[in-house]
Amino acid sequence: MTYTRIIGTGSYLPERVLTNHDLEDIVDTSDAWVRERTGIAERRVAATGETCGDLARRAAQRALDASGVPAEEIDLVLVATCTPDRIFPSTASALQRSVGVRPGAIAFDLSAACSGFVYALSTADRFIRTGGARRALVVGAETMTRILDWTDRGTCVLFGDGAGAVVLEASDTAGVISTHLHSDGRYEPLLYVPWGPGQGYSNLRHKDRYIKMRGNEVFKIAVNTLSRIVDETLDSAGLQKSDVDWLVPHQANIRIISATAKKLNLPMDRVVVTVDRHGNTSAASIPIALDTAVRDGRIQRGELLLLEAFGGGFTWGSALVRF
Ligand code: UT7
């Protein structure tokens, strides 16, 4: 049997910090409200001219350095993003060039909103297990602040920019134990960006370029859905809640994260929380959290990780990983 192991992690946050206090000058909000309702203290904003591909490159380089694998030995580059640099070529093809992955390797972007990294990890795992690739570079990278309406306090306080990456390699022993992906397109009206190139430009309204969300409805469905996927994931592997060493959740809201931890009977000191520092970075949030806890020594080799995400689509998914 061939399995997939994570052999390196990396992440990158842009330099500019935007605090809740900074936002008090922009919209009718308060540091106290944002902290209490979301757990977010600050987020990062990409510099003018700094793109999703730039963030992806920095995170990917750090993951490659950590893995010890030269970029020329990567067979597959996957970038999960909903804020790509261009319509095409893909951010993954640009990344292939910028980090020096060999010409002729496979490269493509994957769009599943906040679930993008779990979707990409699952896709790469399937390539590796079926012999289509031996080593993969999987990145979640987003410039969410470019699709925010800075007059809408219901969304602009929530999101931020960043990137995270992992290097995967074929292995005889299980790293990625299982992945679980789902979507339900009926929920589009609760979380979406109205405009895309397929809509044409003639009727483009300024506000249609930005995220629209019915936050409270999304919140309730996210909590219930993530609770269900925890059971699905553990049942499929025949594992107990007590087997999980670390929950590495999508970082959207500390209250959603706490509800999932409660479902797992996991104390919060076994949950990787980074949402306070960068807000919701969509597809980038899980690999940023993973890299943070690997680098600060919390996550150790051999430990069992449960990754889970929920986002626009709706999409949702999970991965059980022996690190
Ligand atoms: O990652 C993709 C998936 N997205 C998510 O997971 C986001 C899910 N949703 C959420 O995280 C939460 O629903 C929010 C953080 C967006 C909102 O929290 P909430 O507890 O659901 O608040 P709410 O929408 O029910 O609003 C409560 C009150 C309202 O005022 P009234 O009607 O009670 O007077 C809002 O107008 O809070 C008000 N409010 C704010 N007040 C200060 C909404 N946004 C803000 C704000 N600052 N930024």
Side-chain angles (χ1 to χ4, degrees):
M1 277 290 277
T2 302
Y3 299 96
T4 303
R5 279 190 65 232
I6 297 177
I7 59 165
T9 66
S11 61
Y12 176 74
L13 294 174
E15 274 173 31
R16 186 178 156 211
V17 176
L18 188 69
T19 66
N20 294 340
H21 290 296
D22 295 331
L23 284 168
E24 289 172 353
D25 297 334
I26 302 173
V27 282
D28 179 15
T29 192
S30 67
D31 176 56
W33 189 95
V34 180
R35 278 180 198 264
E36 188 190 315
R37 306 310 293 168
T38 72
I40 299 166
E42 60 187 39
R43 69 286 297 140
R44 300 296 180 101
V45 180
T48 306
E50 190 177 36
T51 68
C52 174
D54 295 326
L55 309 186
R57 175 175 46 79
R58 286 175 180 264
Q61 193 57 61
R62 288 177 183 176
L64 285 165
D65 292 346
S67 74
V69 169
E72 311 87 68
E73 292 182 16
I74 297 290
D75 309 307
L76 168 66
V77 183
L78 269 179
V79 177
T81 185
C82 58
T83 50
D85 290 9
R86 299 192 162 81
I87 294 163
F88 70 84
S90 69
T91 310
S93 288
L95 183 64
Q96 173 189 18
R97 185 180 65 239
S98 65
V99 296
V101 169
R102 69 176 169 79
I106 306 162
F108 61 98
D109 287 0
L110 195 151
S111 167
C114 296
S115 309
F117 181 76
V118 173
Y119 266 66
L121 180 68
S122 177
T123 304
D125 176 47
R126 288 159 207 256
F127 266 93
I128 288 174
R129 280 194 293 149
T130 54
R134 202 170 152 65
R135 295 194 182 92
L137 176 60
V138 176
V139 183
E142 302 278 17
T143 44
M144 298 304 284
T145 62
R146 304 259 157 85
I147 55 167
L148 286 181
D149 177 353
W150 294 100
T151 66
D152 176 13
R153 69 175 183 173
T155 51
C156 77
V157 304
L158 302 176
F159 294 91
D161 302 334
V166 294
V167 176
L168 305 175
E169 187 175 62
S171 160
D172 296 339
T173 51
V176 178
I177 296 168
S178 68
T179 58
H180 307 264
L181 306 180
H182 301 283
S183 172
D184 188 340
R186 292 174 301 175
Y187 286 106
E188 177 189 291
L190 299 195
L191 177 54
Y192 68 114
V193 178
W195 190 80
Q199 314 283 332
Y201 292 87
S202 53
N203 295 321
L204 173 59
R205 293 183 310 162
H206 188 73
K207 290 237 168 204
D208 284 351
R209 294 184 299 181
Y210 306 120
I211 295 175
K212 295 200 186 309
M213 179 166 76
R214 293 186 354 219
N216 193 265
E217 290 167 75
V218 177
F219 183 94
K220 288 177 191 150
I221 298 170
V223 168
N224 288 331
T225 305
L226 291 171
S227 165
R228 281 204 313 276
I229 207 164
V230 162
D231 287 335
E232 176 191 334
T233 310
L234 292 175
D235 288 351
S236 80
L239 291 168
Q240 309 297 316
K241 292 173 180 173
S242 55
D243 292 322
V244 175
D245 292 305
W246 292 99
L247 177 64
V248 188
H250 169 49
Q251 311 281 320
N253 185 318
I254 189 67
R255 292 183 293 139
I256 299 176
I257 294 172
S258 306
T260 311
K262 199 169 167 196
K263 168 79 186 174
L264 272 167
N265 298 330
L266 261 190
M268 285 305 282
D269 62 3
R270 306 305 289 179
V271 182
V272 183
V273 177
T274 54
V275 68
D276 52 322
R277 292 194 301 116
H278 54 65
N280 184 343
T281 56
S282 185
S285 87
I286 290 178
I288 291 171
L290 176 64
D291 181 54
T292 301
V294 167
R295 283 177 194 261
D296 69 22
R298 273 179 290 171
I299 292 181
Q300 296 289 322
R301 285 283 166 206
E303 289 186 318
L304 188 69
L305 318 182
L306 177 57
L307 282 47
E308 48 81 349
F310 180 90
F314 287 149
T315 54
W316 63 101
S318 65
L320 203 52
V321 177
R322 181 69 64 191
F323 186 66

